[in-house]
Amino acid sequence: NAGVTQTPKFQVLKTGQSMTLQCAQDMNHEYMSWYRQDPGMGLRLIHYSVGAGITDQGEVPNGYNVSRSTTEDFPLRLLSAAPSQTSVYFCASRRDRRTDTQYFGPGTRLTVL
Amino acid sequence: KQEVTQIPAALSVPEGENLVLNCSFTDSAIYNLQWFRQDPGKGLTSLLLIQSSQREQTSGRLNASLDKSSGRSTLYIAASQPGDSATYLCAVRLLGSYSSASKIIFGSGTRLSIRP
């Protein structure tokens, strides 16, 4: 099993550009989530999904869209990148919303100029 | 709103020392608390999980305690080694609605450096 994979590892965008951060898991987990990690602020939940076709907002959803068309994939879209979205983004999955063990991807470091 | 705080933000100790990392949370209505380790440029790895009904959990040289009433948890590392150098984060899982029970709130972490 590859676990949770994320692409790309690094990305530089200009303000106003759009892009999609990819996340995939091969563990057949129902629950997937996106976090951003900023210095001194820990990880903050952006969006999460409790299963294919179901998504919900987390703590900091503005400026981001998600979809969950399959169990495996949970892409995060930035429609119009802003410098405030410069951060490290982590995708995570767990078996279902009741399960505690969470698996994290290696992260994507995004810089918006 | 649940807030999770970890103080200090950074800690440096000589090898071999026992040390304690602190985590505090504002709302005691939690389902559980986890401690994670994060190495530079990597994702998070779960170290210990304490259910709300438990007082402590142990794994090797690590011992985590939970005092829900005071909103505190500690991670005790015995006989520290240079390989323990990493950032340690605590996170609480909320108790409550279907929606909120899905959420995990993280602290900002303590960056630990063990000097050889």
Side-chain angles (χ1 to χ4, degrees):
Chain A
N1 286 350
V4 180
T5 58
Q6 290 183 238
T7 56
K9 289 188 177 181
F10 302 94
Q11 183 70 49
V12 178
L13 292 178
K14 294 181 180 178
T15 297
Q17 287 185 317
S18 62
M19 80 159 295
T20 300
L21 307 186
Q22 302 291 345
C23 174
Q25 51 90 11
D26 61 359
M27 298 172 281
N28 200 33
H29 285 174
E30 291 183 0
Y31 186 98
M32 297 183 74
S33 53
W34 275 104
Y35 294 90
R36 60 178 288 174
Q37 185 176 34
D38 300 295
M41 300 190 72
L43 275 75
R44 292 182 291 168
L45 183 65
I46 304 171
H47 285 284
Y48 66 98
S49 168
V50 298
I54 306 170
T55 63
D56 203 350
Q57 296 181 348
E59 185 183 356
V60 287
N62 292 341
Y64 307 95
N65 280 353
V66 292
S67 60
R68 186 93 180 272
S69 57
T70 67
T71 298
E72 295 78 19
D73 301 298
F74 190 42
L76 178 72
R77 297 184 185 85
L78 284 71
L79 299 178
S80 179
S84 61
Q85 294 178 304
T86 294
S87 186
V88 181
Y89 291 85
F90 289 100
C91 178
S93 77
R94 58 187 201 244
R95 190 179 65 202
D96 52 48
R97 72 174 189 90
R98 292 174 294 277
T99 305
D100 297 314
T101 303
Q102 190 160 221
Y103 299 85
F104 282 82
T108 295
R109 183 174 295 274
L110 176 67
T111 301
V112 183
L113 303 176
Chain B
K1 179 185 173 184
Q2 178 71 271
E3 291 185 2
V4 180
T5 304
Q6 292 184 252
I7 297 173
L11 181 65
S12 178
V13 300
E15 181 179 2
E17 278 200 5
N18 303 325
L19 61 99
V20 174
L21 304 180
N22 298 300
C23 172
S24 61
F25 47 96
T26 55
D27 189 342
S28 62
I30 65 170
Y31 187 72
N32 59 42
L33 183 144
Q34 288 194 67
W35 282 92
F36 292 85
R37 169 182 173 138
Q38 184 179 25
D39 292 290
K42 302 289 180 61
L44 279 68
T45 301
S46 180
L47 296 173
L48 288 165
L49 182 145
I50 311 176
Q51 299 294 347
S52 62
S53 59
Q54 297 176 321
R55 297 283 294 180
E56 65 179 285
Q57 282 287 332
T58 298
S59 176
R61 294 182 294 108
L62 306 179
N63 176 277
S65 69
L66 175 64
D67 184 343
K68 245 186 13 169
S69 60
S70 66
R72 289 184 166 186
S73 176
T74 61
L75 179 66
Y76 174 83
I77 302 177
S80 58
Q81 304 170 356
D84 295 329
S85 298
T87 297
Y88 291 81
L89 296 93
C90 67
V92 298
R93 183 170 171 184
L94 304 182
L95 188 66
S97 67
Y98 178 92
S99 174
S100 63
S102 300
K103 298 176 185 176
I104 298 175
I105 308 298
F106 285 82
S108 56
T110 294
R111 188 172 69 253
L112 178 64
S113 175
I114 307 298
R115 305 190 300 270

